[in-house]
Amino acid sequence: MPFANHTPYDYFPRRLHPREIGNPYLAIHQFFDWENLPEWRNQLDKWLQAALKSGFQLSRDELVELFVRYEFIEYLVEALSLVHRLMDSTYMPERELLLDMRKNSERLLPDEINTAHGYFNNNYQPKQFEREEYYPFHLDADEKEYPHGVIRDFFDFQNLPQYRDALYWWHIVAIDFTNADDSRGSNYVYNLHKHLMKVIEAAHLIHIRSANGDENEIEKEPEKTPGL
């Protein structure tokens, strides 16, 4: 799918607060503090369905919900694009978190799930979910062990301006009376949905491990001696 040439400005986050630009992990926490993983999964599936059905019309409330979630997902994608840049840098905020995930991959879910940060956020549409609904179904064993690798794969598929363009297209197709096959095709939206679902699950693993990890147990990465 060809895209127009992008300017350097297109790679700059537009929805993030300066504080979140300085530490994009804060945006990841905000994303899941606003709505939990099972609801994000449900909403993405509903969004996919709306884009695939001709003549499908969302209700007024659903249109408002879709618009808000579309903006939140773009917000998350911008934050993840900054995390992606920082992964190869010599310094990144919460560097210890990245090292901790490589060494403690067995800590997939917190034990006290009903009180864990990011679970059952009852300030918004209280609903009880089973523990299994928080499991990252779309990730394989290696991706669950190192969720930052999913972020790298996500931006190998498309860059930030391309995701902005794709999300806007998906949003328009979902709210009008056309479907994906009338423009970019159903395979395009299926691939977009797949990559978003994987990276949202990976971001959720980062979210819960950051909130529940014991920083005192994190083994620091040894400093490298120049020339060795």
Side-chain angles (χ1 to χ4, degrees):
M1 180 84 208
F3 292 90
N5 292 329
H6 302 293
T7 68
Y9 174 76
D10 293 322
Y11 291 86
F12 190 81
R14 302 172 185 175
R15 297 192 183 277
L16 300 183
H17 189 275
R19 180 168 169 263
E20 294 160 346
I21 293 175
N23 185 353
Y25 287 101
L26 298 176
I28 295 176
H29 295 319
Q30 174 68 19
F31 183 80
F32 291 107
D33 284 346
W34 188 77
E35 194 161 78
N36 53 40
L37 176 61
E39 272 302 317
W40 279 118
R41 187 182 285 129
N42 292 339
Q43 292 300 325
L44 275 177
D45 289 344
K46 183 187 295 186
W47 194 1
L48 177 65
Q49 182 184 30
L52 294 174
K53 290 185 176 180
S54 295
F56 183 83
Q57 183 61 54
L58 297 169
S59 68
R60 180 180 299 178
D61 290 342
E62 288 174 330
L63 287 171
V64 173
E65 289 178 357
L66 177 60
F67 178 75
V68 174
R69 287 174 176 83
Y70 151 67
E71 291 195 328
F72 256 94
I73 290 175
E74 189 175 79
Y75 166 87
L76 177 68
V77 171
E78 287 187 352
L80 294 178
S81 72
L82 295 181
V83 172
H84 180 240
R85 291 186 197 179
L86 292 169
M87 285 167 60
D88 295 324
S89 67
T90 56
Y91 168 78
M92 65 179 290
E94 300 191 16
R95 174 75 177 174
E96 293 83 0
L97 171 62
L98 179 62
L99 301 177
D100 184 39
M101 290 188 184
R102 292 174 175 171
K103 296 178 172 65
N104 298 293
S105 59
E106 74 281 355
R107 190 170 66 241
L108 180 62
L109 294 172
D111 294 331
E112 300 297 329
I113 191 168
N114 287 310
T115 58
H117 183 71
Y119 286 81
F120 310 115
N121 46 349
N122 293 320
N123 293 327
Y124 178 75
Q125 294 183 356
K127 180 179 179 181
Q128 290 297 307
F129 292 100
E130 297 294 333
R131 180 186 180 97
E132 289 74 16
E133 292 197 51
Y134 285 91
Y135 193 82
F137 300 107
H138 298 82
L139 305 183
D140 61 30
D142 291 337
E143 292 167 336
K144 286 181 287 188
E145 181 176 350
Y146 182 53
H148 281 80
V150 181
I151 298 174
R152 190 184 302 279
D153 293 340
F154 183 73
F155 288 103
D156 285 344
F157 177 66
Q158 288 188 161
N159 58 34
L160 175 59
Q162 290 171 343
Y163 276 118
R164 280 203 190 101
D165 174 82
L167 288 170
Y168 179 75
W169 167 83
W170 190 5
H171 177 246
I172 295 301
V173 171
I175 65 177
D176 64 14
F177 287 93
T178 63
N179 65 21
D181 286 326
D182 294 333
S183 53
R184 302 186 183 183
S186 57
N187 286 338
Y188 182 85
V189 74
Y190 274 126
N191 281 331
L192 182 60
H193 175 272
K194 178 186 71 174
H195 282 86
L196 276 172
M197 197 64 261
K198 285 173 69 74
V199 83
I200 286 175
E201 289 185 347
H204 188 257
L205 290 180
I206 293 172
H207 169 66
I208 61 175
R209 292 182 190 179
S210 176
N212 295 278
D214 184 358
E215 294 183 359
N216 294 326
E217 295 179 357
I218 297 173
E219 182 181 351
K220 302 288 186 177
E221 185 179 31
E223 295 184 3
K224 296 181 180 180
T225 302
L228 295 181

